[in-house]
Amino acid sequence: MTLQKRQAIKALILLVFASFIFILHQSGEMTNFIHPNYLHFSQFASVLFLILFFFQVPRIFRPLDAEPDHTHCSPWGCHHEEEGLSIKSILSIGIITVPLLTGLMMPYKTFGAEEAVKRGIQYAGLDQKKLGDSDIKSMMSLPVIRFDDIGFANYMGILSEYPEVFEGKIIEIEGFIAEDQFMTKTQKVIARFQVTHCVADAHASGFKLENSNEFHLTKNTWVRMKGTLKVKEESQNYIPVIHVNSVETIDTPKNPYIFS
């Protein structure tokens, strides 16, 4: 039996990929990277990698008297397995293993205040589903508008479109504190990241805080905040802002993203 080094490396890569995706699912950390609606695709990928691994294992060992298979040879010749690893094969294997090694060796970081400022924080004109009068009336009837994980995106969309309608309403929201680079350092923002497909398309949305200097708000700290909604005119647009009434520091949620 002859050990085929390239085939063994390919089998190992397939196994590690399958195991890595499986571990992310078991730990619940997969939603830190992709939208929950796409979890079944990554589960399918894990199973597929495992099946390919079992197909790959028999290729690791080749009998000494085995004849080369010429089935897939091209008119320009054959490229059967070499005894050693060529530069071409090392390069191709390296490209495949880079994302795997990155995921295994480098700790990931959930997006926060720094990433929000770099990507830009949205206060108005947010992407949203088409909303009817019933949605607005239902929201108007609430004594306190609580921005939970389910209603966050819709509430942000309604308030960005009709801020003057909800002026004076009590808002309760959880999020991280950030400092917009176009604002004074004493004025803070409370924001959350919204994910449509995966963290690559994540965008931060939130509210400017009218009286943030009255509270000891630290950047990148998660808080539960209650305040009164007010309207401010900026660049010929009306945007909702929060006049803070109370602030409570909280732990970072297990899943800090809003999935829209």
Side-chain angles (χ1 to χ4, degrees):
M1 302 289 283
T2 304
L3 176 66
Q4 300 296 320
K5 295 179 181 178
R6 267 197 294 183
Q7 300 291 4
I9 293 174
K10 290 177 182 178
L12 180 61
I13 292 173
L14 289 169
L15 180 61
V16 176
F17 259 117
S19 302
F20 181 54
I21 297 174
F22 177 79
I23 290 171
L24 287 177
H25 276 282
Q26 286 297 106
S27 63
E29 295 178 351
M30 183 60 79
T31 51
N32 287 323
F33 303 96
I34 63 174
H35 195 291
N37 290 345
Y38 301 114
L39 289 179
H40 56 283
F41 289 112
S42 60
Q43 290 170 341
F44 174 78
S46 178
V47 174
L48 181 61
F49 281 136
L50 189 60
I51 292 173
L52 292 175
F53 164 75
F54 286 118
F55 276 107
Q56 185 68 22
V57 169
R59 300 179 181 179
I60 298 176
F61 300 97
R62 184 180 69 187
L64 293 174
D65 56 348
E67 292 293 330
D69 183 9
H70 298 279
T71 304
H72 301 289
C73 291
S74 67
W76 295 275
C78 294
H79 301 279
H80 298 294
E81 293 295 328
E82 303 172 1
E83 291 297 326
L85 292 170
S86 64
I87 295 178
K88 181 180 178 181
S89 64
I90 292 175
L91 182 61
S92 61
I93 291 172
I95 293 173
I96 295 173
T97 55
V98 164
L100 182 60
L101 293 175
T102 301
L104 290 172
M105 300 178 66
M106 296 183 64
Y108 70 88
K109 177 187 176 184
T110 54
F111 288 166
E114 290 79 9
E115 291 77 16
V117 172
K118 290 177 182 178
R119 295 184 175 220
I121 304 173
Q122 296 178 325
Y123 308 106
L126 303 174
D127 295 333
Q128 57 177 309
K129 299 176 182 178
K130 190 173 181 180
L131 301 167
D133 292 338
S134 60
D135 298 300
I136 299 174
K137 290 179 180 178
S138 175
M139 190 170 167
M140 278 292 298
S141 65
L142 297 173
V144 177
I145 303 176
R146 291 185 174 87
F147 281 70
D148 55 18
D149 292 352
I150 298 175
F152 189 97
N154 281 344
Y155 287 171
M156 283 297 301
I158 293 174
L159 287 182
S160 67
E161 285 292 313
Y162 312 101
E164 67 282 356
V165 175
F166 296 91
E167 188 170 10
K169 295 288 287 186
I170 301 299
I171 304 292
E172 187 174 307
I173 185 173
E174 294 181 0
F176 59 84
I177 300 298
E179 295 176 355
D180 198 316
Q181 59 183 343
F182 299 108
M183 298 161 54
T184 60
K185 290 185 178 180
T186 56
Q187 191 176 11
K188 303 287 197 305
V189 173
I190 184 168
R192 293 287 296 267
F193 268 99
Q194 295 188 54
V195 175
T196 305
H197 301 290
C198 66
V199 292
D201 63 35
H203 62 275
S205 56
F207 296 97
K208 294 182 178 181
L209 305 177
E210 184 182 61
N211 57 329
S212 58
N213 58 333
E214 297 178 13
F215 298 84
H216 299 288
L217 301 177
T218 305
K219 186 174 70 173
N220 227 23
T221 301
W222 278 80
V223 299
R224 180 181 297 112
M225 181 178 294
K226 183 175 284 189
T228 305
L229 185 71
K230 293 193 175 183
V231 178
K232 184 178 181 180
E233 184 178 1
E234 281 192 7
S235 303
Q236 298 182 341
N237 289 320
Y238 290 99
I239 63 170
V241 299
I242 295 178
H243 180 89
V244 184
N245 298 331
S246 63
V247 177
E248 176 188 354
T249 303
I250 60 174
D251 295 329
T252 303
K254 183 178 180 181
N255 197 326
Y257 303 130
I258 298 296
F259 299 103
S260 55

